[in-house]
Amino acid sequence: MDIEAFRKAGYQAIDRICDYYYLLQDRPVVPSVQPGYLLDALPDSPPEEGEDFAAIADDYQKYILPGLTHWQHPSFFAYFPTACTFEGILGDLYSTSTANPGFNWLASPACTELEMVVMDWSAKLLGLGDHFLHSSGKGGGVIQTTASELALVVVVAARERYMRMHSDTKAESLVIYTTTQTHSLGVKAGLVFGIECRALEVRAEDAYALRGATLKNALEEDQKRGKRPFILIATVGTTSSGAIDRLDEIGEVAKDHPSLWIHIDAAWAGVTLACPEYREVAQLDSINAYATSFGTNFHKWGLVNFDAALLWVKDRKDLTDALDVTPEFLRTKQGDAGTVVDFRNWHLGLGRRFRSLKVWFVLRSYGVEGFRNYIRQGIKLNEHFASLVRASPKFALVTPPSFALTVFRLTPSGPHTFTDSELNDLNRTFYARLSSRHDILLTQTVLNGVFCIRFAVGAARTQQEHVDRAWEILQREGAVAVQEFAQRKLVNVP
Amino acid sequence: MDIEAFRKAGYQAIDRICDYYYLLQDRPVVPSVQPGYLLDALPDSPPEEGEDFAAIADDYQKYILPGLTHWQHPSFFAYFPTACTFEGILGDLYSTSTANPGFNWLASPACTELEMVVMDWSAKLLGLGDHFLHSSGKGGGVIQTTASELALVVVVAARERYMRMHSDTKAESLVIYTTTQTHSLGVKAGLVFGIECRALEVRAEDAYALRGATLKNALEEDQKRGKRPFILIATVGTTSSGAIDRLDEIGEVAKDHPSLWIHIDAAWAGVTLACPEYREVAQLDSINAYATSFGTNFHKWGLVNFDAALLWVKDRKDLTDALDVTPEFLRTKQGDAGTVVDFRNWHLGLGRRFRSLKVWFVLRSYGVEGFRNYIRQGIKLNEHFASLVRASPKFALVTPPSFALTVFRLTPSGPHTFTDSELNDLNRTFYARLSSRHDILLTQTVLNGVFCIRFAVGAARTQQEHVDRAWEILQREGAVAVQEFAQRKLVNVP
């Protein structure tokens, strides 16, 4: 494709993306395709001769779009949102147009320096302490791909720091602390490194937050059994229920354990720190006082297109001491002189995309106020949803709503009194009905044995009307689920 | 930004990318900026109020473009090329426009299935055996981010497979085999996992290829010292010199060691397998006979924009057994039924970009013939360069040229006879001169103590005129370097 053909295909792509967003809310959220639909539709080998791009672009509309789950749909309430803004799209477009893997400063100075700039900007946006800034000369931030990979980076750095502090440590005595509510990134880190992962218990009455006393007991137990917990992955805003670990208590306990690395995973909820009114509940002061590292994904609720997982560390040397590999073919005079940051030593890979560009575009186009307003809008919509649940005799919150996430379930009142097991059964029936629909998407979870449903707001186009429509669907499907359950179990329901 | 503002900014972006490519060859390859140029130029906080996108887009031209190293410049001969095609740009554009992280089949059916399709297409393009295809029902391919992260995935899978086979294994007895020429991904994997990494020796007379006898001796030695080598990372086309390990010999030796995982890192040179005439030298038959896994980066020389590191495994269960984590909130009925591939269990993270789209666009637009011709063009240009070196009395090849890579150095003839150390010194002077220029970029390496310079062809816009111009520069700078050296050391040179 030559330059002018690209101009034509590029304009067409822009136009079709515009069409996509004009028509998005008329599409189903979830496609109706069956497993294998595309494998069956496409040839099983690449073409021998090149094809005209117009035909390829048309096939995107014909085969791909109908097989997408539309995460940007205003009725998408599943998982957590993935940000997709026009500014983010443009950032990715400019970035991919030059394909500069800025792994060293010299490999593209602008890539390295813009990342330093936007990481300091983002830290200030969130109210992170100066010790996390590049300008501190000691700490600093780096953009990783996902929260899971970010956690792997942190675990390596924490392990190596621990081994330097305690050189007698046997690998098999190492333990990663998480809670039973930590995202799967904790268990995955354990699998990847072959390190024991201990999930500390949390209680419903604490809204699934880790308490200091639980941590303290675990540390004492592990000391007795010769185990070496070297990192705690605490969470601000768990995936299942938006729980916020008690960082104040955790920090106090950790004071007696200076080799325990405290990583705060705020992949989803970290962006709420942009709003001064949420800093207390999201425990900003404790993050600044106690966190060795802090991560939040701007690609979730932070307006920046996937991927942009932001990681800050108090001491950049913890990363570079663990991850620096400099073969001859990667040496540069600036790197040798130590005058520049070479981000290849701050992550797992070598090559890296120019992700800071889209962060820069978004932060400038929205400004601090625009960013805050977007977060506030999501929280307001969720408060609206939670108020509908609260007011209904047929539904109940399972745990207090958290920012833009509500976890709820069907709880029909008499004449039949539902056992815990029956309520789970009923709600599984209810969820199965919901997940067979194509006009809405929610996800399930289990909280200490209670099967429940997550309602996560935050897609950029979601308005109150979409929440209200979702509530209508939930009421209707809930009523049918109760009837179905009653017929199946031969019990009386209202 | 609303939809119509996006249309305007999108058209502008497309136009500016066209301008970029029209003007690219008039730009310097390497920018003249000094460390800190952008940190100094930009504000140190994000704006409070949102800014107009037109100003932001202009600032990209003003601050970012002048600070980029232009990997797509026709005079970029450093590292290895990073592919950047208009088809790839369009693939990234469509992909980012919907922001669907297809970690589960349900999270976006098209993302999962198109990845299966293009991985089977690519396997066929390269001549990989049927056992690597998804359609085999046992093997399959997956797109990773970089060769380094791909290697981490493979090492985890290999380690877990080994531990299942030998459950008595102590973690500290594990060893990763690489060679002294393996890319830094080998050492990095050792660092990340805290596993010993043993670099097997290779010799100049074998063109830096690992021989079977070396592997055999190492296995015997390690058996004696109670070590457990569980993976060999062999290379087809090393970064320093394009060396190709003797997979035929390695495979024969490995027959007696069925728990040794053979990973073939063909990050750069794997794409040459698309051409039937290079399959013998790139050892396709041995790859198909002996490789447990095989990786190649289409984002290097394979026309697909960064990132697209393609990994195939003989047995997909080796990946999922090592990496499967399924919390409740990630369960789906299709996943539970086992009727679909959930790619989240094939890599380190959870979320993943829709990378297969750009691979699909490229393979369809180029076709098999177009892809082959592109590879052939790079090899032809390199043969031209190598012939210039061979014909010159002042330069010498350090090792035979490999595909599109030539490693050479200055070797002036009499009256002074240069010692090995003096030749290295001279060539460091020569390279320092080259790396202070902005109109060309090459990288250095060291091969068994010999300092030398790499010339890597493959940027899409490089033509013979650019190679000839590079050769002129090399001759001129070489002559000056020799004179400088002579004055400094007071020796006679021609």
Side-chain angles (χ1 to χ4, degrees), chain B residues 100-221:
Chain B
N100 297 56
F103 48 79
N104 283 350
W105 181 85
L106 179 69
S108 249
C111 299
T112 298
E113 297 203 12
L114 190 62
E115 188 155 337
M116 295 170 75
V117 168
V118 301
M119 289 304 296
D120 277 9
W121 282 20
S122 302
K124 289 174 182 175
L125 172 71
L126 303 181
L128 296 183
D130 289 348
H131 57 288
F132 285 118
L133 302 180
H134 279 283
S135 59
S136 72
K138 191 171 181 217
V142 57
I143 309 180
Q144 307 282 341
T145 46
T146 69
S148 297
E149 277 139 329
L150 184 158
L152 297 181
V153 168
V154 165
V155 169
V156 175
R159 185 194 65 201
E160 294 307 304
R161 190 183 77 154
Y162 190 91
M163 301 295 260
R164 285 194 302 276
M165 288 171 159
H166 308 280
S167 57
D168 62 324
T169 309
K170 294 262 180 239
E172 56 272 24
S173 66
L174 292 169
V175 185
I176 298 168
Y177 276 6
T178 64
T179 82
T180 56
Q181 295 303 306
T182 304
H183 184 268
S184 57
L185 61 82
V187 177
K188 194 140 187 179
L191 280 185
V192 166
F193 294 116
I195 294 177
E196 181 184 338
C197 191
R198 180 173 175 183
L200 307 181
E201 292 296 328
V202 295
R203 294 173 306 183
E205 56 264 42
D206 294 323
Y208 305 99
L210 176 64
R211 303 296 303 260
T214 309
L215 174 63
K216 190 161 183 285
N217 290 342
L219 287 164
E220 284 166 7
E221 275 171 26

Side-chain angles (χ1 to χ4, degrees), chain A residues 235-350:
Chain A
T235 309
V236 170
T238 60
T239 302
S240 273
S241 71
I244 301 168
D245 290 333
R246 288 291 298 271
L247 305 183
D248 50 347
E249 297 179 359
I250 290 168
E252 281 304 309
V253 172
K255 277 184 179 167
D256 297 329
H257 300 267
S259 49
L260 183 71
W261 180 299
I262 310 287
H263 174 61
I264 312 293
D265 169 27
W268 163 63
V271 292
T272 62
L273 293 169
C275 306
E277 68 271 32
Y278 298 120
R279 287 180 176 172
E280 190 175 337
V281 62
Q283 302 200 59
L284 178 63
D285 287 347
S286 294
I287 292 168
N288 283 330
Y290 305 121
T292 324
S293 57
F294 174 82
T296 188
N297 291 353
F298 273 20
H299 65 242
K300 282 196 164 70
W301 188 17
L303 294 164
V304 180
N305 292 37
F306 190 86
D307 43 10
L310 278 54
L311 166 67
W312 287 272
V313 290
K314 269 172 66 175
D315 190 344
R316 61 180 77 169
K317 262 182 71 61
D318 287 333
L319 296 183
T320 55
D321 282 351
L323 294 164
D324 187 354
V325 181
T326 306
E328 188 70 21
F329 59 78
L330 290 178
R331 289 180 60 185
T332 63
K333 64 183 177 196
Q334 296 85 0
D336 289 351
T339 53
V340 294
V341 163
D342 284 339
F343 275 124
R344 69 190 158 81
N345 300 322
W346 294 52
H347 72 155
L348 298 177
L350 170 58

Side-chain angles (χ1 to χ4, degrees), chain B residues 232-236 247 262-267 287 291-296:
Chain B
L232 166 69
I233 301 175
T235 309
V236 170
L247 305 183
I262 309 286
H263 173 61
I264 311 294
D265 169 27
I287 292 168
T292 323
S293 57
F294 174 83
T296 188

Side-chain angles (χ1 to χ4, degrees), chain A residues 106-284:
Chain A
L106 180 69
S108 248
C111 299
T112 298
E113 296 203 13
L114 190 63
E115 188 156 337
M116 296 169 74
V117 168
V118 301
M119 288 305 295
D120 277 9
W121 282 20
S122 301
K124 289 174 182 175
L125 172 72
L126 303 181
L128 296 182
D130 289 348
H131 56 287
F132 285 118
L133 302 180
H134 280 283
S135 59
S136 72
K138 191 171 181 217
V142 57
I143 309 180
Q144 307 282 340
T145 47
T146 69
S148 297
E149 278 140 328
L150 184 158
L152 297 181
V153 168
V154 165
V155 169
V156 175
R159 185 194 65 201
E160 294 306 304
R161 190 183 75 154
Y162 190 91
M163 301 296 260
R164 284 194 302 275
M165 288 171 160
H166 309 280
S167 56
D168 62 325
T169 309
K170 293 261 179 241
E172 55 272 22
S173 66
L174 292 169
V175 184
I176 298 168
Y177 276 6
T178 64
T179 82
T180 56
Q181 296 302 307
T182 303
H183 184 269
S184 57
L185 60 82
V187 176
K188 194 140 188 178
L191 279 185
V192 165
F193 294 116
I195 293 177
E196 181 185 338
C197 191
R198 180 172 176 183
L200 307 182
E201 292 296 328
V202 295
R203 294 173 306 184
E205 55 265 42
D206 294 324
Y208 305 98
L210 176 64
R211 302 297 302 262
T214 308
L215 174 63
K216 190 160 182 285
N217 290 341
L219 287 164
E220 285 167 5
E221 274 171 28
D222 277 326
Q223 191 154 28
K224 280 183 205 141
R225 61 182 191 124
K227 289 290 180 179
R228 307 288 195 107
F230 66 100
I231 185 169
L232 166 68
I233 301 176
T235 309
V236 170
T238 60
T239 302
S240 273
S241 71
I244 301 168
D245 290 333
R246 288 291 298 271
L247 305 183
D248 50 347
E249 297 179 359
I250 290 168
E252 281 304 309
V253 172
K255 277 184 179 167
D256 297 329
H257 300 267
S259 49
L260 183 71
W261 180 299
I262 310 287
H263 174 61
I264 312 293
D265 169 27
W268 163 63
V271 292
T272 62
L273 293 169
C275 306
E277 68 271 32
Y278 298 120
R279 287 180 176 172
E280 190 175 337
V281 62
Q283 302 200 59
L284 178 63

Side-chain angles (χ1 to χ4, degrees), chain B residues 71-83 238-242 267-269 271-272 299-303 373-389 401-408 440-443 453-468 470-471 474:
Chain B
W71 288 61
Q72 308 313 319
H73 196 289
S75 296
F76 181 94
F77 302 108
Y79 306 108
F80 280 131
T82 51
T238 60
T239 302
S240 272
S241 72
W268 163 63
V271 293
T272 62
H299 66 242
K300 281 195 166 70
W301 188 17
L303 294 164
N373 288 340
Y374 173 69
I375 300 299
R376 287 170 181 144
Q377 159 82 351
I379 295 176
K380 202 174 134 203
L381 287 175
N382 185 52
E383 281 168 356
H384 173 65
F385 179 78
S387 72
L388 295 170
V389 175
S402 174
F403 302 118
L405 175 67
T406 295
V407 183
F408 70 102
I440 190 171
L441 190 63
L442 294 89
T443 36
I453 298 171
R454 301 168 67 261
F455 183 89
V457 200
R461 283 158 191 81
T462 303
Q463 302 295 329
Q464 186 169 324
E465 62 184 293
H466 306 107
V467 174
D468 288 336
W471 180 239
L474 293 170

Side-chain angles (χ1 to χ4, degrees), chain A residues 4 21 69 92 96-97 100, chain B residues 4 21-22 69 92 96-97 100:
Chain A
E4 290 309 317
Y21 281 103
T69 299
D92 265 341
T96 192
S97 77
N100 297 57
Chain B
E4 290 309 318
Y21 282 103
Y22 276 122
T69 298
D92 265 340
T96 192
S97 77
N100 297 56

